[in-house]
Amino acid sequence: MNPGDDGTEVLDLIADHHDSVREHLTDEQYQDLLGRLRVLAETAPDDARAVRRAFQRIRLSLVALPYGHPVREALDSVRLVATPTAGQPVVRRTVELLARITAPPPPPDTAAIIAAVEQRLLGAPALTAAEVRGRYGGTEPPPELIRLADPERGDRYPEFQFGTADGAPYRIVLEINGLLCADADPWGAADWWLSANAWLGGRRPAALLGDRSDGELLDAAHVLVEGD
């Protein structure tokens, strides 16, 4: 038997070049290919005629690939031989191929996502712990203030919290931070203030301090805590 006589070579090439195959086929053509692969995967391996017929239909789906594509080049070398065991390898390989190319995507890297959010939040203008303590006569600031731990620069207090003429924090900021449990989850509270908020027309809550009424900001915070 020549290489590729049982059709497994083409199936292996589809697996190895799956991204390229998907790129060169329209959505309709790709779904047609998947459907024909499923038909072959469900074909009785000992039914040589049915196996050859199902595989031929897969070949017809693949002729849409451009000349020179590895899978297209391999098509002409395939000749399913009529032996009792000819269908077993190709059906088994088709099942394996479908499991590989239709598997759900890997779960997101939660740690990487969290790290990216923290880096974004640490990039916002902020005061150092010493600067904030200076505003409180050297004593510790209230726990309602958002304090982000920066492994390189030490604790950082997002600057948006301080907007009054004497440098004290907004009262509404302290109230909302208490509602958002900023002392226990400073990153979540900071993310709420510094992210676009659909309830506020897509604007960041921090950007609306002094522009929108305190009641609107408080209502938006309640939407998060209590649900709309």
Side-chain angles (χ1 to χ4, degrees), residues 33-58:
L33 172 61
L34 290 181
R36 297 183 185 202
L37 285 169
R38 292 188 182 100
V39 169
L40 178 54
E42 295 169 2
T43 299
D46 57 353
D47 189 340
R49 177 178 294 181
V51 169
R52 288 197 301 273
R53 183 168 59 247
F55 191 86
Q56 179 62 20
R57 289 173 178 169
I58 292 172

Short mmCIF file of all heavy atoms in Angstrom, two decimals, residues 33-58:
data_model
loop_
_atom_site.label_atom_id
_atom_site.label_comp_id
_atom_site.label_asym_id
_atom_site.label_seq_id
_atom_site.Cartn_x
_atom_site.Cartn_y
_atom_site.Cartn_z
N LEU A 33 -17.29 20.96 5.20
CA LEU A 33 -16.20 20.02 5.46
C LEU A 33 -16.40 19.33 6.80
O LEU A 33 -16.26 18.10 6.89
CB LEU A 33 -14.86 20.76 5.44
CG LEU A 33 -13.64 19.95 5.88
CD1 LEU A 33 -13.40 18.75 4.97
CD2 LEU A 33 -12.39 20.83 5.95
N LEU A 34 -16.74 20.08 7.83
CA LEU A 34 -16.96 19.47 9.15
C LEU A 34 -18.10 18.46 9.09
O LEU A 34 -18.01 17.37 9.68
CB LEU A 34 -17.28 20.55 10.18
CG LEU A 34 -16.15 21.49 10.59
CD1 LEU A 34 -16.66 22.48 11.64
CD2 LEU A 34 -14.95 20.72 11.13
N GLY A 35 -19.16 18.80 8.37
CA GLY A 35 -20.29 17.88 8.25
C GLY A 35 -19.89 16.59 7.57
O GLY A 35 -20.30 15.49 7.99
N ARG A 36 -19.08 16.68 6.53
CA ARG A 36 -18.66 15.48 5.82
C ARG A 36 -17.66 14.66 6.64
O ARG A 36 -17.63 13.43 6.54
CB ARG A 36 -18.07 15.87 4.47
CG ARG A 36 -19.11 16.55 3.57
CD ARG A 36 -18.57 16.88 2.20
NE ARG A 36 -19.59 17.64 1.43
CZ ARG A 36 -19.62 17.71 0.11
NH1 ARG A 36 -18.71 17.08 -0.61
NH2 ARG A 36 -20.55 18.41 -0.49
N LEU A 37 -16.84 15.33 7.44
CA LEU A 37 -15.96 14.60 8.34
C LEU A 37 -16.78 13.82 9.37
O LEU A 37 -16.45 12.68 9.71
CB LEU A 37 -15.00 15.57 9.04
CG LEU A 37 -13.85 16.12 8.20
CD1 LEU A 37 -13.15 17.26 8.93
CD2 LEU A 37 -12.84 15.02 7.85
N ARG A 38 -17.86 14.44 9.86
CA ARG A 38 -18.70 13.75 10.85
C ARG A 38 -19.35 12.52 10.23
O ARG A 38 -19.51 11.49 10.89
CB ARG A 38 -19.74 14.71 11.40
CG ARG A 38 -19.16 15.82 12.26
CD ARG A 38 -20.25 16.64 12.94
NE ARG A 38 -19.68 17.73 13.72
CZ ARG A 38 -19.62 18.99 13.33
NH1 ARG A 38 -20.11 19.33 12.12
NH2 ARG A 38 -19.09 19.91 14.09
N VAL A 39 -19.76 12.63 8.96
CA VAL A 39 -20.37 11.48 8.28
C VAL A 39 -19.37 10.34 8.23
O VAL A 39 -19.71 9.17 8.52
CB VAL A 39 -20.83 11.86 6.86
CG1 VAL A 39 -21.21 10.61 6.07
CG2 VAL A 39 -22.02 12.82 6.93
N LEU A 40 -18.12 10.63 7.87
CA LEU A 40 -17.10 9.58 7.79
C LEU A 40 -16.82 9.00 9.18
O LEU A 40 -16.66 7.79 9.33
CB LEU A 40 -15.82 10.12 7.17
CG LEU A 40 -14.65 9.14 7.05
CD1 LEU A 40 -15.07 7.87 6.32
CD2 LEU A 40 -13.47 9.80 6.35
N ALA A 41 -16.77 9.87 10.19
CA ALA A 41 -16.49 9.40 11.54
C ALA A 41 -17.56 8.45 12.04
O ALA A 41 -17.29 7.57 12.87
CB ALA A 41 -16.36 10.59 12.49
N GLU A 42 -18.78 8.59 11.53
CA GLU A 42 -19.89 7.74 11.97
C GLU A 42 -20.14 6.56 11.04
O GLU A 42 -21.08 5.79 11.25
CB GLU A 42 -21.15 8.60 12.07
CG GLU A 42 -21.05 9.69 13.15
CD GLU A 42 -22.19 10.70 13.08
OE1 GLU A 42 -23.08 10.52 12.22
OE2 GLU A 42 -22.19 11.66 13.87
N THR A 43 -19.29 6.41 10.02
CA THR A 43 -19.45 5.31 9.07
C THR A 43 -18.86 4.02 9.64
O THR A 43 -17.81 4.04 10.29
CB THR A 43 -18.74 5.65 7.74
OG1 THR A 43 -19.34 6.84 7.19
CG2 THR A 43 -18.87 4.52 6.73
N ALA A 44 -19.51 2.92 9.39
CA ALA A 44 -19.00 1.63 9.85
C ALA A 44 -17.67 1.33 9.15
O ALA A 44 -17.61 1.31 7.91
CB ALA A 44 -20.00 0.53 9.55
N PRO A 45 -16.59 1.12 9.89
CA PRO A 45 -15.28 0.91 9.27
C PRO A 45 -15.22 -0.27 8.32
O PRO A 45 -14.42 -0.25 7.36
CB PRO A 45 -14.34 0.70 10.48
CG PRO A 45 -15.06 1.33 11.62
CD PRO A 45 -16.52 1.11 11.36
N ASP A 46 -16.02 -1.31 8.54
CA ASP A 46 -15.95 -2.49 7.69
C ASP A 46 -16.79 -2.34 6.42
O ASP A 46 -16.82 -3.24 5.59
CB ASP A 46 -16.37 -3.74 8.47
CG ASP A 46 -17.77 -3.62 9.06
OD1 ASP A 46 -18.36 -2.51 8.98
OD2 ASP A 46 -18.26 -4.62 9.60
N ASP A 47 -17.47 -1.19 6.28
CA ASP A 47 -18.25 -0.95 5.07
C ASP A 47 -17.36 -0.15 4.11
O ASP A 47 -17.40 1.08 4.05
CB ASP A 47 -19.53 -0.18 5.40
CG ASP A 47 -20.47 -0.07 4.22
OD1 ASP A 47 -20.02 -0.25 3.07
OD2 ASP A 47 -21.66 0.23 4.44
N ALA A 48 -16.53 -0.89 3.35
CA ALA A 48 -15.53 -0.24 2.50
C ALA A 48 -16.16 0.74 1.51
O ALA A 48 -15.63 1.83 1.28
CB ALA A 48 -14.72 -1.29 1.76
N ARG A 49 -17.27 0.36 0.92
CA ARG A 49 -17.90 1.24 -0.06
C ARG A 49 -18.36 2.54 0.59
O ARG A 49 -18.15 3.63 0.04
CB ARG A 49 -19.08 0.54 -0.71
CG ARG A 49 -19.84 1.44 -1.69
CD ARG A 49 -20.99 0.70 -2.35
NE ARG A 49 -20.50 -0.36 -3.20
CZ ARG A 49 -21.30 -1.16 -3.93
NH1 ARG A 49 -22.62 -0.99 -3.87
NH2 ARG A 49 -20.80 -2.11 -4.69
N ALA A 50 -18.97 2.45 1.77
CA ALA A 50 -19.45 3.65 2.47
C ALA A 50 -18.29 4.54 2.90
O ALA A 50 -18.37 5.77 2.82
CB ALA A 50 -20.29 3.25 3.68
N VAL A 51 -17.18 3.90 3.31
CA VAL A 51 -16.00 4.68 3.71
C VAL A 51 -15.45 5.43 2.51
O VAL A 51 -15.14 6.62 2.59
CB VAL A 51 -14.93 3.75 4.32
CG1 VAL A 51 -13.61 4.50 4.48
CG2 VAL A 51 -15.39 3.22 5.67
N ARG A 52 -15.31 4.74 1.37
CA ARG A 52 -14.78 5.41 0.18
C ARG A 52 -15.70 6.54 -0.27
O ARG A 52 -15.23 7.62 -0.65
CB ARG A 52 -14.61 4.39 -0.96
CG ARG A 52 -13.47 3.42 -0.75
CD ARG A 52 -13.08 2.73 -2.05
NE ARG A 52 -14.21 1.99 -2.62
CZ ARG A 52 -14.52 0.73 -2.31
NH1 ARG A 52 -13.78 0.07 -1.42
NH2 ARG A 52 -15.54 0.12 -2.88
N ARG A 53 -17.00 6.31 -0.20
CA ARG A 53 -17.95 7.34 -0.62
C ARG A 53 -17.87 8.56 0.30
O ARG A 53 -17.85 9.71 -0.16
CB ARG A 53 -19.36 6.76 -0.62
CG ARG A 53 -20.43 7.74 -1.12
CD ARG A 53 -21.74 7.04 -1.39
NE ARG A 53 -22.25 6.38 -0.19
CZ ARG A 53 -22.36 5.05 -0.05
NH1 ARG A 53 -21.98 4.23 -1.03
NH2 ARG A 53 -22.85 4.54 1.06
N ALA A 54 -17.79 8.32 1.61
CA ALA A 54 -17.71 9.43 2.57
C ALA A 54 -16.41 10.20 2.40
O ALA A 54 -16.39 11.44 2.46
CB ALA A 54 -17.84 8.90 3.99
N PHE A 55 -15.33 9.45 2.15
CA PHE A 55 -14.04 10.13 1.99
C PHE A 55 -14.01 10.93 0.69
O PHE A 55 -13.44 12.03 0.64
CB PHE A 55 -12.90 9.12 2.01
CG PHE A 55 -11.55 9.78 2.12
CD1 PHE A 55 -11.03 10.11 3.36
CD2 PHE A 55 -10.81 10.09 0.98
CE1 PHE A 55 -9.79 10.73 3.45
CE2 PHE A 55 -9.59 10.71 1.08
CZ PHE A 55 -9.07 11.03 2.33
N GLN A 56 -14.62 10.40 -0.35
CA GLN A 56 -14.66 11.12 -1.62
C GLN A 56 -15.38 12.46 -1.45
O GLN A 56 -14.99 13.47 -2.06
CB GLN A 56 -15.35 10.27 -2.69
CG GLN A 56 -15.48 10.94 -4.05
CD GLN A 56 -14.12 11.26 -4.67
OE1 GLN A 56 -13.10 10.69 -4.28
NE2 GLN A 56 -14.12 12.18 -5.62
N ARG A 57 -16.41 12.48 -0.64
CA ARG A 57 -17.14 13.73 -0.41
C ARG A 57 -16.27 14.73 0.34
O ARG A 57 -16.36 15.95 0.12
CB ARG A 57 -18.43 13.44 0.36
CG ARG A 57 -19.46 12.70 -0.48
CD ARG A 57 -20.66 12.27 0.33
NE ARG A 57 -21.66 11.60 -0.50
CZ ARG A 57 -22.70 10.94 -0.03
NH1 ARG A 57 -22.87 10.83 1.28
NH2 ARG A 57 -23.56 10.36 -0.86
N ILE A 58 -15.41 14.23 1.23
CA ILE A 58 -14.48 15.12 1.91
C ILE A 58 -13.49 15.71 0.92
O ILE A 58 -13.17 16.90 0.96
CB ILE A 58 -13.74 14.35 3.03
CG1 ILE A 58 -14.72 13.99 4.15
CG2 ILE A 58 -12.58 15.17 3.59
CD1 ILE A 58 -14.15 13.07 5.20
#
